[in-house]
Amino acid sequence: MKIGMVWDRPCAVGELPYGAHIGTQVLHHVVPELRVMWWTGADVNLRVGQWDAYIVNLFRGMRHVTQIRQAQPEAFIVALPDDYFDGVFTGQYTADALEFIRQIQAADAIGYVSESNRQFYSVFGKPMIRIPIAMGTDNFFDAMRRIPKDDFLLTVDHSPRDPEYTIQNVAACAVIQKRTGVDVIYVNPGPETEAYADALGLKATFHPNMPYEHLVQLGARARLSVDLYALHGYGRHEVSMAGVGTPCVGGNLTHTTLFPTLDPWHVQDAADTACTLLTDARAWQVVRERGFDRAAEHSFQRARADMQNVLQRIEELCHSRVYS
């Protein structure tokens, strides 16, 4: 059975080089039997019909699911919402949100990467399939774990630029710095982040957005990271820091957080946790080890096994649909 993943943006093919890679866009590199297609939505008759089943990475504005359904009615389609639902269903893009819903309704099953997505998209009553997030290469992250730590705290802002991506991060880091004097390196600051830092008394070294691999290398040197992203994300920064042995204080809205009771807006609680990790070597080591366990769930080896199970599940669902 031919099963492939559909993207509306360019995606590399072939063996991944040694280095840092993360996401569902890595899966076709680690699972050779998973095909991949970069398709903008044009020339549907030239692109559709090659496979038996399609996993569509669904972003706001795409119509790929209904296009595939029209061109190849017998295809089995898994809609994999890739946009975080806080950004789709905000009320600012109602027409796009309704189209997003229509795409999901036209699919046979729904893929999800996080528990919040599983909970929310289960409302459609379709089979739910967990899709792994792969992070590697495994030998690169093994090497990063052996890098000595420096005494600084790393934090980041995220894109797109939502109101929830920065101010609580700045506030928590300001409190931590006032209590401990720790140096702060701030990556990918938004247009207002430095003004917030001045207003709240945070003294940081700001760096523009950098390639993922460079961020991971910087994180490998950090004593601690803070990422109080206040939207329902996967927590890629948190699991990336876990992979290099740097504890990351993150909020409970992200899937991979090591602190499931920490509200991202409770900056005093976040600061209490961070200060403990900066001053208590045993507590730091305990969280570091928990992070290693979490990162192992995303290794290329684990993702390969998990994705092969996904392909088997899709085949079973296709078979049951044919004979039901």
Side-chain angles (χ1 to χ4, degrees):
M1 184 175 189
K2 295 180 180 179
I3 304 173
M5 188 167 276
V6 179
W7 293 87
D8 72 337
R9 56 202 64 193
C11 44
V13 295
E15 185 176 352
L16 283 173
Y18 172 86
H21 312 274
I22 190 171
T24 53
Q25 72 272 20
V26 174
L27 291 172
H28 64 277
H29 294 281
V30 300
V31 183
E33 57 267 41
L34 177 66
R35 294 160 172 82
V36 67
M37 177 193 300
W38 168 37
W39 172 40
T40 62
D43 300 323
V44 60
N45 292 324
L46 296 178
R47 306 309 302 269
V48 175
Q50 307 175 35
W51 306 336
D52 304 295
Y54 300 78
I55 304 170
V56 179
N57 287 269
L58 191 60
F59 293 88
R60 184 164 52 84
M62 289 176 59
R63 291 171 171 77
H64 289 49
V65 176
T66 51
Q67 287 178 294
I68 295 170
R69 178 65 69 217
Q70 183 175 6
Q72 189 180 345
E74 74 282 3
F76 189 91
I77 306 173
V78 179
L80 174 57
D82 212 315
D83 261 343
Y84 60 113
F85 53 75
D86 312 63
V88 175
F89 305 108
T90 61
Q92 299 177 22
Y93 311 105
T94 302
D96 284 349
L98 291 173
E99 183 59 49
F100 200 86
I101 289 172
R102 282 191 285 270
Q103 297 304 305
I104 295 172
Q105 289 172 328
D108 298 287
I110 300 172
Y112 67 94
V113 298
S114 67
E115 177 61 14
S116 56
N117 274 20
R118 187 191 71 80
Q119 292 274 350
F120 180 75
Y121 289 110
S122 66
V123 70
F124 292 95
K126 296 178 182 291
M128 303 293 293
I129 303 174
R130 189 185 72 82
I131 307 295
I133 293 281
M135 184 178 74
T137 58
D138 294 342
N139 52 358
F140 174 85
F141 278 87
D142 288 342
M144 291 297 101
R145 294 177 182 185
R146 296 192 290 271
I147 292 178
K149 298 298 184 187
D150 293 332
D151 289 325
F152 69 87
L153 181 156
L154 174 67
T155 191
V156 296
D157 279 345
H158 294 266
S159 298
R161 301 301 192 183
D162 301 285
E164 297 86 355
Y165 78 92
T166 187
I167 183 65
Q168 73 284 0
N169 224 35
V170 173
C173 290
V175 175
I176 296 164
Q177 188 177 65
K178 289 171 185 175
R179 293 190 196 175
T180 65
V182 68
D183 291 336
V184 174
I185 294 180
Y186 209 121
V187 175
N188 191 32
E192 70 275 29
T193 301
E194 293 189 46
Y196 285 152
D198 287 342
L200 298 179
L202 173 65
K203 295 177 173 57
T205 301
F206 293 94
H207 290 274
N209 195 18
M210 59 180 64
Y212 175 63
E213 185 165 316
H214 295 173
L215 178 64
V216 170
Q217 290 170 328
L218 181 62
R221 293 173 38 221
R223 180 73 56 189
L224 186 70
S225 188
V226 171
D227 182 12
L228 294 177
Y229 191 55
L231 295 171
H232 290 85
Y234 190 78
R236 296 184 188 204
H237 180 76
E238 289 155 286
V239 75
S240 298
M241 294 301 98
V244 298
T246 298
C248 182
V249 178
N252 60 5
L253 296 184
T254 52
H255 181 73
T256 59
T257 183
L258 296 175
F259 301 95
T261 63
L262 180 60
D263 187 303
W265 291 97
H266 291 187
V267 297
Q268 294 293 342
D269 291 345
D272 289 344
T273 300
C275 290
T276 297
L277 294 174
L278 287 170
T279 58
D280 186 331
R282 184 175 180 278
W284 183 89
Q285 187 63 37
V286 167
V287 175
R288 174 179 161 94
E289 294 296 331
R290 284 169 51 202
F292 287 154
D293 292 340
R294 179 60 53 84
E297 299 171 5
H298 300 81
S299 70
F300 277 9
Q301 181 179 4
R302 173 68 178 272
R304 184 177 299 111
D306 287 348
M307 195 62 199
Q308 286 168 339
N309 289 336
V310 167
L311 299 183
Q312 182 177 346
R313 174 90 192 284
I314 291 174
E315 286 203 37
E316 292 169 352
L317 288 170
C318 285
H319 185 80
S320 64
R321 185 186 64 168
V322 170
Y323 292 100
S324 61

